[in-house]
Amino acid sequence: MKKEKWHQLGLLVAIVALVTGMGAFPAQAKSAAKTKTVTFGQLTNKNPKRLAAIRQAARQQILKQKHAKGSKVAAVYKVKLPRHMNKKATLTAKGLRMNLLANSFKVKQITIPYTQLKGKVLNRYLPKANRTKAVKTTKMVALTFDDGPDKTLTPRLLKTLKKYKVHATFFETGQNVSRYPQISRAVLAGGNELGNHSWNHPDFNRIGTAKTVSQITRTNRAIYQATGTLPQYVRPPYGNITAAEGRAVEQPIIRWSVDSRDWAYLNKNKDINEVMKDTRGGDIILMHDIHSQSVAAAPTIIKRLKAKGYKLVTVSQLLNNQALPGLQYFGAHDYRTVGK
């Protein structure tokens, strides 16, 4: 009887071990199933502008992964990244994993978080939390401010935005960012976003592609040095940029649909009237945070727009995170190929 009991006990232990092992195996299989090999053609529906957006996100990830200093920003644009739709990558639980060719960063592989690929990769390849959804822009407008940061006026404007619980997009010049990096950090800390407005405000149409790229890269470096983040967007001074420059830059170009002409008026009331008479849902409003009159006009503009039922958002929110390199955006539903 004792032998029989011991035999039954041993059999029970074996069954428990087997069941436990079987319970673990499906979990491992489930984990393995989270990875899937795809081509960039699948991810982008063979859209080269989407692929350029993935390259843009990859550059940010390389810098982040290496904890790179600002001095390495120029080098990241020399890293060879996928340009052919048949190249492959892997969807993982953490993001899109890509293998890299030999590069100066000595990085063999990166994983771009899905949060950085929203609007760049087709929705079906993204987790539900990172997919774009249709948004109504009939009561949305984006306030944008150029030429800062200014030592005194930009902090004053940030206080106004915080008071009225709205956010804006700031297109900053590299030379000013390098002077006041703490203010650029404050812009982001307030929930706003930063864009590239060249190094020292030249007319890109007059300086040529090579110098334009240098202006933008130098400013990207200044913004990265100040904030640890590459700016997503470029706003060319005077709105001028050629098709060749747009292709070389590989960042979405942001224009505007409402020009406050605050730089010409330098008059608070005229600034307010100009914005209010022209603004409609889906508009991008151009102002400057280097003029005291413009900053003084901001509270009234915000209050009046809100009274009309408008929600003031960042450019990314207005464009539903779907802006792509090679295109220039004038408003929520008005975009064209760069140079046209």
Side-chain angles (χ1 to χ4, degrees):
M1 290 291 293
K2 289 183 178 180
K3 288 183 178 181
E4 190 175 87
K5 287 182 178 179
W6 278 110
H7 175 72
Q8 292 174 345
L9 181 60
L11 184 60
L12 180 61
V13 170
I15 291 172
V16 170
L18 180 61
V19 171
T20 303
M22 288 178 67
F25 180 76
Q28 293 169 351
K30 186 176 180 181
S31 176
K34 288 181 179 178
T35 63
K36 178 182 179 181
T37 300
V38 291
T39 65
F40 286 101
Q42 291 173 310
L43 291 172
T44 65
N45 196 28
K46 297 185 178 180
N47 183 333
K49 293 179 175 61
R50 286 185 181 272
L51 184 53
I54 294 175
R55 290 196 294 271
Q56 184 184 12
R59 296 182 185 106
Q60 173 67 58
Q61 188 58 32
I62 292 169
L63 292 170
K64 181 179 179 181
Q65 188 166 312
K66 290 296 292 185
H67 303 287
K69 296 181 179 180
S71 58
K72 297 293 289 182
V73 167
V76 83
Y77 287 93
K78 297 179 181 179
V79 176
K80 292 183 179 180
L81 295 169
R83 292 183 177 273
H84 300 289
M85 295 298 176
N86 60 352
K87 296 294 183 181
K88 295 179 180 180
T90 305
L91 298 170
T92 73
K94 294 183 178 181
L96 182 68
R97 188 170 67 213
M98 298 168 49
N99 293 324
L100 303 181
L101 296 173
N103 56 78
S104 63
F105 291 86
K106 298 182 180 179
V107 174
K108 296 181 179 180
Q109 189 178 83
I110 59 171
T111 298
I112 306 173
Y114 290 119
T115 53
Q116 303 302 312
L117 295 171
K118 186 175 183 178
K120 300 175 175 64
V121 169
L122 297 184
N123 266 348
R124 63 176 173 268
Y125 295 106
L126 295 171
K128 289 184 179 180
N130 302 115
R131 296 176 183 176
T132 56
K133 300 177 183 178
V135 296
K136 292 183 179 180
T137 58
T138 53
K139 283 296 183 179
M140 294 172 62
V141 295
L143 271 178
T144 67
F145 296 91
D146 285 10
D147 295 351
D150 179 87
K151 183 179 180 180
T152 303
L153 298 177
T154 305
R156 187 181 302 170
L157 177 58
L158 291 177
K159 288 181 180 179
T160 296
L161 297 175
K162 182 178 180 180
K163 177 180 177 180
Y164 293 102
K165 298 180 180 179
V166 299
H167 298 116
T169 302
F170 291 74
F171 290 94
E172 300 186 337
T173 61
Q175 61 181 5
N176 283 339
V177 174
S178 65
R179 288 175 187 146
Y180 310 115
Q182 73 281 6
I183 300 178
S184 295
R185 289 192 289 271
V187 168
L188 291 182
N192 307 289
E193 64 185 358
L194 284 179
N196 184 319
H197 195 44
S198 82
W199 178 259
N200 59 359
H201 213 276
D203 184 338
F204 289 169
N205 283 359
R206 295 183 178 181
I207 65 175
T209 300
K211 289 184 178 179
T212 292
V213 171
S214 176
Q215 282 268 330
I216 291 171
T217 302
R218 192 177 178 187
T219 302
N220 282 348
R221 170 181 171 174
I223 292 175
Y224 177 83
Q225 184 89 34
T227 67
T229 303
L230 290 175
Q232 183 174 356
Y233 307 121
V234 168
R235 172 171 280 168
Y238 315 105
N240 293 338
I241 187 166
T242 66
E245 290 163 351
R247 288 191 295 270
V249 167
E250 282 204 345
Q251 290 175 246
I253 305 302
I254 306 300
R255 301 283 292 276
W256 57 87
S257 49
V258 175
D259 186 352
S260 67
R261 292 187 58 80
D262 57 347
W263 55 271
Y265 296 137
L266 297 178
N267 181 289
K268 173 184 171 181
N269 291 328
K270 285 188 176 182
D271 295 344
I272 295 169
N273 292 336
E274 195 70 30
V275 171
M276 295 309 302
K277 76 180 179 68
D278 290 335
T279 299
R280 303 291 184 272
D283 277 335
I284 297 175
I285 301 169
L286 170 63
M287 297 186 71
H288 297 78
D289 56 327
I290 59 168
H291 304 308
S292 60
Q293 298 88 345
S294 305
V295 173
T300 301
I301 289 172
I302 292 170
K303 285 188 289 185
R304 291 188 182 180
L305 287 174
K306 293 182 78 171
K308 286 190 172 186
Y310 288 114
K311 182 179 180 181
L312 281 72
V313 297
T314 63
V315 165
S316 289
Q317 291 171 313
L318 185 72
L319 301 181
N320 202 16
N321 296 292
Q322 296 185 80
L324 298 174
L327 297 175
Q328 54 182 341
Y329 296 82
F330 296 80
H333 306 291
D334 183 1
Y335 60 90
R336 312 158 203 175
T337 301
V338 177
K340 293 184 179 180

